[in-house]
Amino acid sequence: MLTHYKNLAIPAALGMLFSTLYNIVDVYYAGKLSTEAQAGLAIGYQAFFIMMAVGFGLGSALSALVSNAKGEKNTTASRSLAAQGLSFGVIATALLMVGGWFAGPHLIALVSEPGGYRDAALGYFRLLILALPGFLLAYGGNGILQAHGDTRSMQRAMMVAFFANIGLNPLMMFGIPGIWGGMGFNGIALATVISQTGVMAFILSRVFNLNMMERVKRAEFMPDPTCYKAIVEQMLPATTALVVMFVSGFVVQFALKNFGEDAIAAYGVALRIEQILLLPVLGMTSALLPIAGQNFGAKEYDRVRDAVFFCWKLGFALSLVAMPALWFGGAWAMRPFTSDPDVIEIGASYLLVDGFLFPIYMMLFSINSLLQAMKRPIYTLWISVYRQGFGVAFFIWVFIALLGFDVWGVWLGIATAVSTGWVMALIVAIRVSQTTMGGLRAKPA
């Protein structure tokens, strides 16, 4: 079991590490301009991420469906699902680019006040839409690769993109002295468009080098209602759950706008720091999906149980390291991105609360992977709707409007929603596993 996790989780976590470091480079260079630019980046990227949720959902769906087909040793179905998944991604990308162009500015206006940071967010978002094909098709292709046990390709692609971004950001922002004056803050978005398009090209080349794709025909990419239906059924709950998560981010930003741009900037920076510490957990729980999916497809239910409990053991071990880092190192971690003492103080307060939530996030992510592996992704949606839709909005309102808390009310509202959502997820996982594979605990021989 450890070998499976090592082969899948470590490359996946490294890929996510460089993906997060990539975003941190953006935050760093935005901070070189102003707190206003950092606030604009946080809001603009949040609006863009709602569209990217389709890519995450597509990758998750293809990982689950293709790994199940592989577990059943059905090569034809695996190839068909891969081809249909890629054509689905192309159509979805085109529709989202059009929809995002018109809807994005309204979302940004909802969570910001008129002024410089709203204008920065709008310009950044509109240019970043051009990066959508790079993100969506790369994530879809990565789901196919993950089903084949390949998490190294995305790791390598994101590693190259990270280093490219270090050079592209200052080049696009500040230009070349005496030749080109650069694009200022919008240069960050153009750098993302260039680098993510390169990631997409590499990932798709790896997909088409798979043995099962050697005999793929053009006709297999033509929309097949049956395959599209299977993809949508698997993708929609995961995508909707992510959309709800990012809408939750907008709810948080809507609450934070009452405390000024310092609070919004602090939240944007602190999220990046949180993501770095969550990377090993994300890699580990991502690895759980293909491992559990293949074994569930092969009806090896004891191996599914072993994978889940092994994942939890590793997760709690990681929590023992991450929690003190968040509690005692929050202010220190904020300082490389801003010298504003108010931003540092607010960000550190978020990370302090976040430390208590670390093991809860770990279990939530692993339960989502388990439910998808058992072909019950709809439950991940309902859990997310409660936790990140109703829960965040309701509990933030309780702490701020009823109890009179300041920015701490936002953090405590998030913590209450996450904690109660974890209880719900655990109950669902126990009940669903009981009906699909006899429970999470193996029955005595």
Side-chain angles (χ1 to χ4, degrees):
M1 188 63 65
L2 179 60
T3 301
H4 286 299
Y5 269 102
K6 183 176 71 174
N7 291 338
L8 289 174
I10 293 177
L14 287 174
M16 292 176 187
L17 170 63
F18 283 101
S19 178
T20 302
L21 291 175
Y22 182 101
N23 292 329
I24 283 175
V25 170
D26 290 350
V27 173
Y28 175 80
Y29 277 106
K32 289 289 185 182
L33 296 177
S34 64
T35 298
E36 185 178 84
Q38 283 186 326
L41 178 71
I43 293 172
Y45 193 72
Q46 192 77 21
F48 179 75
F49 232 57
I50 289 179
M51 297 186 295
M52 280 177 58
V54 174
F56 286 118
L58 179 60
S60 178
L62 292 178
S63 179
L65 291 170
V66 176
S67 63
N68 268 260
K70 280 181 61 64
E72 296 167 357
K73 304 188 184 302
N74 191 337
T75 303
T76 301
S78 296
R79 183 176 66 244
S80 177
L81 285 164
Q84 289 294 303
L86 294 177
S87 68
F88 181 93
V90 171
I91 295 171
T93 299
L95 294 174
L96 284 168
M97 290 179 75
V98 174
W101 179 265
F102 293 103
H106 296 291
L107 291 173
I108 290 170
L110 182 65
V111 296
S112 62
E113 298 291 343
Y117 80 98
R118 176 188 286 183
D119 295 338
L122 286 169
Y124 171 81
F125 172 81
R126 282 181 166 149
L127 187 54
L128 197 62
I129 287 176
L130 297 176
L132 202 57
F135 281 105
L136 261 67
L137 295 179
Y139 288 140
N142 187 51
I144 298 169
L145 295 177
Q146 281 186 326
H148 288 79
D150 177 6
T151 55
R152 295 185 183 278
S153 292
M154 183 58 90
Q155 169 206 332
R156 292 165 183 164
M158 291 310 304
M159 186 183 299
V160 173
F162 161 69
F163 287 109
N165 201 39
I166 292 176
L168 285 171
N169 261 343
L171 176 63
M172 297 300 158
M173 290 173 67
F174 307 117
I176 303 172
I179 300 176
W180 177 49
M183 299 176 63
F185 176 60
N186 288 344
I188 297 176
L190 183 57
T192 299
V193 173
I194 295 170
S195 55
Q196 287 302 140
T197 301
V199 170
M200 175 195 70
F202 176 72
I203 292 297
L204 291 182
S205 72
R206 296 295 296 168
V207 170
F208 284 102
N209 282 330
L210 292 171
N211 290 334
M212 74 169 188
M213 299 298 284
E214 289 180 357
R215 299 180 182 178
V216 69
K217 299 176 181 178
R218 184 178 299 177
E220 293 182 77
F221 292 92
M222 298 301 293
D224 180 337
T226 302
C227 280
Y228 273 29
K229 181 175 181 291
I231 291 169
V232 169
E233 286 176 348
Q234 186 72 25
M235 181 194 80
L236 194 58
T239 296
T240 307
L242 282 167
V243 169
V244 172
M245 181 180 76
F246 296 124
V247 169
S248 170
F250 272 100
V251 171
V252 172
Q253 288 172 336
F254 182 81
L256 289 175
K257 78 174 184 177
N258 296 319
F259 302 105
E261 68 181 37
D262 287 348
I264 293 175
Y267 179 62
V269 174
L271 277 180
R272 300 299 190 272
I273 296 168
E274 172 194 64
Q275 287 167 1
I276 289 179
L277 290 175
L278 280 173
L279 285 171
V281 168
L282 289 168
M284 181 181 65
T285 54
S286 295
L288 176 62
L289 176 53
I291 292 172
Q294 287 193 28
N295 284 301
F296 187 82
K299 302 187 187 307
E300 295 285 351
Y301 299 136
D302 283 338
R303 293 183 180 180
V304 176
R305 298 182 188 99
D306 290 344
V308 172
F309 282 105
F310 186 79
C311 181
W312 287 350
K313 289 175 185 177
L314 286 179
F316 284 120
L318 290 170
S319 299
L320 294 177
V321 177
M323 292 169 72
L326 288 164
W327 292 335
F328 304 112
W332 175 84
M334 293 285 296
R335 289 193 181 101
F337 305 100
T338 178
S339 58
D340 189 321
D342 292 331
V343 175
I344 292 172
E345 181 181 357
I346 295 170
S349 68
Y350 172 81
L351 294 173
L352 178 65
V353 175
D354 197 52
F356 292 98
L357 299 178
F358 192 91
I360 297 176
Y361 279 127
M362 179 274 297
M363 292 197 71
L364 279 166
F365 297 157
S366 61
I367 289 171
N368 283 346
S369 291
L370 174 63
L371 291 171
Q372 287 182 290
M374 294 188 296
K375 295 185 177 181
R376 298 296 189 277
I378 189 63
Y379 290 105
T380 66
L381 169 59
W382 296 121
I383 293 166
S384 181
V385 166
Y386 165 75
R387 177 171 68 91
Q388 297 169 313
F390 168 79
V392 167
F394 175 73
F395 290 116
I396 287 177
W397 174 76
V398 168
F399 280 103
I400 292 180
L402 296 186
L403 300 180
F405 280 72
D406 56 9
V407 71
W408 276 90
V410 179
W411 312 151
L412 294 175
I414 294 171
T416 307
V418 171
S419 301
T420 53
W422 163 69
V423 174
M424 176 187 291
L426 190 59
I427 293 171
V428 169
I430 292 170
R431 291 186 176 179
V432 172
S433 63
Q434 188 68 43
T435 60
T436 56
M437 61 180 193
L440 283 178
R441 298 186 65 86
K443 295 181 180 180

